[in-house]
Amino acid sequence: MRVRIKGETKDFKTVWMEERIVHMIDQRLLPHRFEIIQLHDQRETAEAIRNMAVRGAGAIGVTAAYGIAQAALQAPTGSLEAFKAYVNEAAKLLKATRPTAVNLFHAVDRCLRVLEACETVEEGRERIVREAERIAEEDLEASRKIGEYGNALIRDGDGILTHCNAGALAFLDYGTALSPIRFAHRAGKRIRVFVDETRPRCQGARLTAWELLQEGIDHVVIVDNAAGYYMSRGEIQLVIVGADRIASNGDTANKIGTYEKAVLAKENGIPFYVAAPAMTFDLKARSGGDIPIEERGEEEVQWVWGVDEKGERRRVRITPENSPARNPAFDVTPAKYITAFITEKGIIYPPYPENIKKAFG
Ligand code: MRU
């Protein structure tokens, strides 16, 4: 993605690996500060996923693959058995970071399959690093293709609602929900994006708004409960969201609040699209009930981060001290509310069980 910092324009990927070091944009600080952090081993990389320096389904998948590559490069080389045990331990650590986005599990498992097939430590190191890079390249290419296919669904003059951040920051570049929007904008279509703020971590207000601003795309940030108002006034013509895990029947886990936007879209006769790559489909999950939903700490609801008028980062409390809070990070949108999936293989329409299997089975 193209980023303007202090008058200069530079291209960045969300995450990349150089030698043994994983580099990433620290998403906790955006939009107020742009910083790159470096993670020196799989433990630091796992911690960056857990503390959400990196977040978004594709980005955490690629980061986890890099974590396995770091483990392979740092593992003891004395015996193949010890090497494999060390990498398997790293896989456990990485898989325990966040439970919902299936990209992370697919990425780690792909690296483990390569590990299993290796006959020497040298071969293991080399092939795992290559596999991690391949996962990164595929992520980028899938996001680009999603943009090309999705662009066809957007007309000149459309108002588009999106929820959370399924942009370049949630992958390596382009994004999923934001990729068709970028392509439509680059094709000269006049569009306006309605950005749900996406409480409690405000990925919409902080990250999606920042990305759209970088690319000069017309947008407005709205509070999470304003979408129905704008839909009913005819200002929104379509909804595009991302996904963290899609079951084989099309039920889709995405950021908390997605479900209610889908119901509202149906009520208002507005198409509701989910943009996601093959890596986000979980064909072992038969329906949304099989998808694990992450529950996060109550402090994320009780406190908010921002900057004061001097630009200093501050955290302030917004609830009474003794009010408990609940904080599910995702919800499941039943397949019946989803007009189509925008994927790197094209647009998938119902019936989903058959058509998802045809595309990815
Ligand atoms: O908790 P996050 O920020 O990692 O959640 C992931 C998301 O940003 C969204 O659910 C997004 O819409 C899908 S990720 C491509």
Side-chain angles (χ1 to χ4, degrees), residues 52 54-58 60 98 101 163-167 170-171 176 201 203 207 241-244 253-256 258 275 280 294 296 329-330:
M52 293 180 73
V54 63
R55 35 64 52 199
I60 65 176
R98 296 197 67 196
H163 190 69
C164 197
N165 173 265
F171 289 82
T176 49
R201 292 186 67 97
Q203 289 96 328
L207 308 176
V241 297
D244 293 271
N254 192 49
K255 184 53 60 191
I256 190 75
T258 303
T280 305
E294 178 180 9
R296 299 184 57 83
F330 303 95

Side-chain angles (χ1 to χ4, degrees), residues 285-336:
R286 281 157 305 163
S287 69
D290 290 339
I291 300 177
I293 299 294
E294 178 180 9
E295 282 267 350
R296 299 184 57 83
E298 61 176 1
E299 70 290 345
E300 288 185 349
V301 177
Q302 296 161 330
W303 297 79
V304 287
W305 277 104
V307 290
D308 63 19
E309 62 282 2
K310 293 194 192 106
E312 269 171 41
R313 279 187 94 230
R314 287 198 190 287
R315 191 170 87 124
V316 294
R317 183 169 191 123
I318 54 172
T319 59
E321 264 186 41
N322 295 323
S323 290
R326 293 188 69 182
N327 187 14
F330 303 95
D331 60 24
V332 174
T333 299
K336 65 177 179 184

Side-chain angles (χ1 to χ4, degrees), residues 160-162 164 193-197 204-205 208-209 212 219-222:
I160 306 163
L161 177 77
T162 191
C164 197
V193 185
F194 289 78
V195 180
D196 285 339
E197 62 176 346
T208 299
L212 294 172
H219 66 281
V220 282
V221 177
I222 61 173

